[in-house]
Amino acid sequence: MTARRVKLAAILGILVGSGLALLSWSQTWYTATLVDGAAAGSAATLEVGGQAASPALSALALAGLALAGALTIAGPLIRIVLGLLAALLGGCVVLAASLAIADPVAAVSSAVAEATGVAGAESTAELVAEVVASPWPAVAVAGGVIVVLAGLAVVVTGRAWPTSRRYGGGVRVAADGATAAPASDRAVDAWDDLSRGDDPTEASAPSVVDIAPDHPNGGAEPDDRPADGDERAEPTR
């Protein structure tokens, strides 16, 4: 696989993993059934979304999306740093979703407290009769794993990625293959010349010889006419 394809795959991996985490966060994670009389005048079941079960997931997913965009224009060293950050963000996504999976009752605690008016994790846990999980928490975990793998791929292969021409640093290459000075350095040199009273355009002005017309009166060609007194031999017939 070429470096360009590896770059594309890694960035797409971060985008897909972060997108899955963000999509999962917006869906229903759990359906909680309350004990009889726990919420007077309310439904006996509550649908708890990812916003309540894992509130930090959205911020982590959005950070992953922004990081993927930064990778498209980053230099070799910055790619390594961003790859490490991507792996860290993916690990945090996995941790946030795994905590909700490990303790569903605690994950629905805030929703139960809002519905019943009872505060405290232990008090709300006593009001929950049953919690049924949906596949979306597992989708969030899968998205985090993808981000981790893509971030590690960036760390390993980021130095070999092709650099964007648009953000190549402003250095021009001369016709003979040598690297020319950046445009900013040339501008500083020109300003220094003006400060000293020199005209920086004089060095590049064409000379009279360069622009002289190419005819005998212009002096551009040597005079092939014989000097006075010289005779040229007539060709022998």
Side-chain angles (χ1 to χ4, degrees):
M1 183 178 292
T2 62
R4 187 177 299 276
R5 291 183 178 179
V6 172
K7 175 182 179 180
L8 180 61
I11 294 176
L12 284 179
I14 296 176
L15 287 174
V16 170
S18 300
L20 286 176
L22 189 60
L23 177 63
S24 173
W25 174 81
S26 64
Q27 303 300 317
T28 300
W29 281 29
Y30 298 106
T31 300
T33 303
L34 304 181
V35 297
D36 295 338
S42 300
T45 58
L46 298 174
E47 291 186 352
V48 182
Q51 302 94 329
S54 184
L57 202 60
S58 62
L60 295 171
L62 291 175
L65 294 175
L67 189 146
L71 272 174
T72 60
I73 59 174
L77 294 179
I78 303 301
R79 292 172 199 151
I80 306 303
V81 177
L82 293 178
L84 292 173
L85 288 177
L88 179 61
L89 284 174
C92 292
V93 169
V94 173
L95 178 62
S98 298
L99 289 176
I101 295 174
D103 193 353
V105 176
V108 303
S109 176
S110 61
V112 173
E114 183 178 355
T116 62
V118 177
E122 295 182 358
S123 300
T124 54
E126 295 176 355
L127 301 178
V128 178
E130 184 184 10
V131 177
V132 179
S134 71
W136 289 109
V139 172
V141 172
V145 172
I146 294 174
V147 175
V148 171
L149 296 177
L152 294 178
V154 174
V155 174
V156 175
T157 65
R159 290 180 178 270
W161 289 6
T163 304
S164 175
R165 295 180 180 179
R166 182 178 179 183
Y167 302 94
V171 179
R172 298 180 179 178
V173 179
D176 59 353
T179 302
S184 58
D185 294 345
R186 295 195 299 271
V188 172
D189 294 339
W191 181 260
D192 292 339
D193 292 339
L194 289 174
S195 301
R196 292 192 297 268
D198 300 332
D199 187 359
T201 61
E202 292 181 355
S204 60
S207 63
V208 176
V209 177
D210 294 336
I211 62 176
D214 190 11
H215 57 77
N217 294 333
E221 295 181 354
D223 191 358
D224 295 336
R225 291 177 298 177
D228 294 340
D230 293 344
E231 295 182 357
R232 294 185 177 180
E234 293 292 336
T236 304
R237 298 181 180 178

